[in-house]
Structure formats: C-alpha cells, structure tokens
Amino acid sequence: MRIFLTGATGYVGSAVLQSLVRAGHEVSALIRNPREAAHASLFGTSPVVGDLSEPQTYAAVAETCDAIVHTAFEASKRGPQVDRQAIDAVLAAAARRADRGQRAVVVYTSSLWVLGNTSGRAAEDAALRPTPLVGWRPELERLVLDADRGPLLRAVVVRPGIVYGGSRGIVADLLKTAANGLVRVVGDGRNHWACVHDKDLADLYLRVTTNPDASGVYHATDEADERVADIVESVARHAKGLPDIRHVPIEEARAKMGPYAEALALNQIVRCPRARALGWVPTSHSVAGSVARLLEELRAKSEAV
Ligand SMILES: NC(=O)c1ccc[n+]([C@@H]2O[C@H](COP(=O)([O-])OP(=O)(O)OC[C@H]3O[C@@H](n4cnc5c(N)ncnc54)[C@H](OP(=O)(O)O)[C@@H]3O)[C@@H](O)[C@H]2O)c1
C-alpha cells in the first residue's frame, strides 16, 4: 500500500513507521524538520517536508495514498486546534479519493485517557468520560468516525494506553528518574494504568491499516491491569541504588503539572476485544514484569542516539 504517515519522528509514529516499512509498504512521511527529512529518506521513506498546521504542504500527497495514518501531535497550546486542522485536511483528501472511486483509510490516534476513570472493564464501546487534558478529543474522534463510507473510506480510531518501550514516554522517564534516585508518584499509586508496548501498538496500526474489514474504534493495551505502585516497585527494585519514592498529593501535582496530573492519577481497567478480533495479540504482557528488558531497550536506544 501507499501510506501517508504523520508523526514519523515521534515516539508512536517511529514505531509505526518501522512496522509499515518492514511489512513492505511504501511510506510518505510528513516531517517538519528538513534535517530529519534527509535522515528519513535513508530508511527508504519518502519525506514530505511540511507542517500539520499548513495542509497545503501535505494534502496533495495524502490524496495519492491508499492510507493516511495520523500519529503526529503538536505539544503546544494550539495542539488541539492543529489536530483539528490536520483531521479536516486528511478527511477531505480521503473523501476526494472516495469520490473518484478510489479506496482510502484514515487512522486517527486518540488515547485511552478519553475514557477517564473506568468502571468495570472498559471495551471499545464504553462511554467516554475524558480526563480534562483530552476533553477536546472525543469531538475529533467523532469527526473521523462519521467520515466512514464503508469499504470506500474506512475510518479508524486507535486509542493507545500509556506506551512503553524504547527511550521515550512516561515509563522510560520513570526508569530514568529511578536511576537518578527519586521517583514521584501522583496520588497513592493504587490506581491502575492501561499500558501497551510500542512494538505491539505498531503491529495494531499495521493491522487496522491493511485489514479491509477494519473500521471504528480500537483499544490498545496489554490488559495487564497494573497498579502504578506495582510498576514503581518493580522499577525501584531494578534500579542500581534503591530510589526514594515520593507520593505527591493530587492537589499539589495539579498545581505543578496542570491537568496532566489528573491523567496520571486515572484508574483504568481496559479491554481490547475489537483489536483482538483482528488477530492482534500483544507480545509484551506487563510493565512490571518487563523492567529488565525495558532497561536494556532504554540503554540500546540511548547508545544509538
Ligand atoms: N506516548 C504515549 O504514551 C501515548 C499514549 C496514548 C496516546 N498517545 C497519542 O499519540 C500521539 C503521538 O504521541 P507521541 O508520544 O508519539 O508524541 P511525540 O513523541 O511528541 O511525537 C509527536 C510527533 O508529531 C510531530 N509533530 C508535532 N507537531 C507537528 C507539526 N506542527 N507538524 C508536523 N508534525 C508535527 C513531531 O515532529 P517533530 O519530531 O518535528 O517534533 C513528532 O513526530 C499523540 O496524539 C498522543 O496523545 C501517545
């Protein structure tokens, strides 16, 4: 397939890029930094130098592709607004293809945080109670899902849990701070995080992109139902010197980190029956049980940089 990918230099997008290229697909990747773009072309990817907020830099290329996989996100105040611009642009590109009778699939990256605190085990049909950090996201999910036109235009929303693996993200930061002797936990740590390994997540993107029957919402988590305290305890046990673990009351954390604090304090038990129905089986089963391997991945990635 010809695939247009945004966010290829990011944590999620770089894993997705690898799995798409490995499966033999032809990837055009939106990259905003020309130096990174030169790097991308070395890996057999066609770089499209541009910016999410400037659809004219990528809309025409997106329209030539069988699939549009959107993993980029601008971490700034205007992030949600830029995401909306990008969604409008890629949905319009896919619709123009469909109008000509050419198939298209649009894959949008959301987050399990749109579920808020879960009650029971939340599958893909669970009600949304987004934590304030992602309060804007359900509307964008809806825009994408409403664009579905059956086999001609498949609309997919992937909701990853907290991604682990490699050298980026919340869990890698936890490993790094533990190595420096201090781990901060928002709240008492009895809450559960829904997590997913980056390579497993990338495999789900490959499946939803290429499976002609895939459309709608897909959850991505290893379903380990891990308490934050258990993750932190395992991370601390594997650190060279035993780090201090400091529990930060939610009010104090909110004052320092804003709505991100509440997202970290969410209690989530999540299931992915729709993802599993595509044959997706996560190979990494938990964070706490994988810390030795994660430390090795962190070391390998850091050395490569
Ligand atoms: N990481 C997680 O644990 C996690 C969990 C659930 C959901 N998600 C969601 O997954 C998405 C990606 O997250 P991530 O962790 O991969 O983030 P990330 O590592 O910060 O990557 C963001 C990507 O977006 C690109 N980008 C940002 N602004 C752009 C712009 N204006 N134009 C073009 N490209 C732009 C970045 O390019 P540069 O390299 O140029 O900065 C980078 O490739 C987000 O929507 C996030 O909410 C992530």
Side-chain angles (χ1 to χ4, degrees):
M1 282 174 99
R2 270 181 62 97
I3 300 171
F4 176 68
L5 173 68
T6 72
T9 55
Y11 184 26
V12 171
S14 58
V16 172
L17 174 65
Q18 272 194 26
S19 85
L20 295 176
V21 169
R22 230 179 250 147
H25 299 291
E26 201 184 311
V27 180
S28 294
L30 178 70
I31 296 183
R32 54 179 172 172
N33 176 338
R35 281 221 328 259
E36 292 274 2
H39 194 237
S41 52
L42 289 178
F43 293 99
T45 302
S46 311
V48 178
V49 178
D51 194 289
L52 284 180
S53 65
E54 294 163 10
Q56 72 279 11
T57 58
Y58 57 89
V61 177
E63 193 175 332
T64 64
C65 292
D66 309 302
I68 296 170
V69 180
H70 177 43
T71 72
F73 183 72
E74 184 172 303
S76 72
K77 267 199 178 140
R78 64 170 202 163
Q81 178 199 328
V82 172
D83 212 30
R84 170 69 195 253
Q85 268 180 296
I87 290 296
D88 285 342
V90 298
L91 289 179
R96 285 193 296 274
R97 276 181 74 82
D99 288 344
R100 292 196 299 269
Q102 292 176 297
R103 289 181 175 219
V105 50
V106 174
V107 181
Y108 174 62
T109 305
S110 180
S111 156
L112 282 178
W113 287 346
V114 296
L115 298 173
N117 286 313
T118 58
S119 50
R121 294 171 176 159
E124 284 98 345
D125 59 355
L128 302 189
R129 289 184 298 176
T131 190
L133 186 69
V134 295
W136 51 275
R137 256 206 154 126
E139 189 186 332
L140 293 201
E141 285 194 358
R142 188 35 54 207
L143 263 180
V144 173
L145 295 172
D146 286 348
D148 195 277
R149 283 160 64 174
L152 207 49
L153 199 174
R154 291 189 291 117
V156 174
V157 170
V158 177
R159 293 187 190 139
I162 291 174
V163 185
Y164 62 96
S167 59
R168 298 194 248 184
I170 291 170
V171 173
D173 286 349
L174 202 59
L175 297 172
K176 291 174 203 166
T177 55
N180 291 330
L182 174 65
V183 174
R184 288 189 178 83
V185 178
V186 177
D188 61 15
R190 281 187 296 182
N191 57 311
H192 298 81
W193 277 356
C195 302
V196 64
H197 192 269
D198 61 347
K199 293 207 171 55
D200 288 327
L201 177 61
D203 177 52
L204 179 62
Y205 275 84
L206 177 63
R207 286 170 191 271
V208 296
T209 303
T210 55
N211 186 322
D213 297 323
S215 69
V217 176
Y218 294 91
H219 284 175
T221 155
D222 58 19
E223 301 185 341
D225 306 338
E226 293 182 275
R227 289 186 332 147
V228 176
D230 294 331
I231 293 175
V232 167
E233 193 269 327
S234 179
V235 168
R237 210 162 5 92
H238 285 80
K240 285 216 171 78
L242 208 58
D244 287 336
I245 298 172
R246 182 165 171 241
H247 290 272
V248 184
I250 182 76
E251 297 74 23
E252 186 186 329
R254 202 185 289 120
K256 284 198 182 118
M257 311 158 85
Y260 184 52
E262 270 159 80
L264 294 179
L266 284 175
N267 184 45
Q268 299 202 299
I269 306 271
V270 179
R271 292 291 175 268
C272 350
R274 298 196 78 242
R276 286 182 179 272
L278 295 177
W280 183 67
V281 182
T283 58
S284 184
H285 302 298
S286 74
V287 176
S290 314
V291 173
R293 176 169 53 85
L294 294 176
L295 282 166
E296 189 49 40
E297 287 183 22
L298 176 60
R299 196 183 57 76
K301 283 266 181 185
S302 309
E303 278 177 11
V305 170

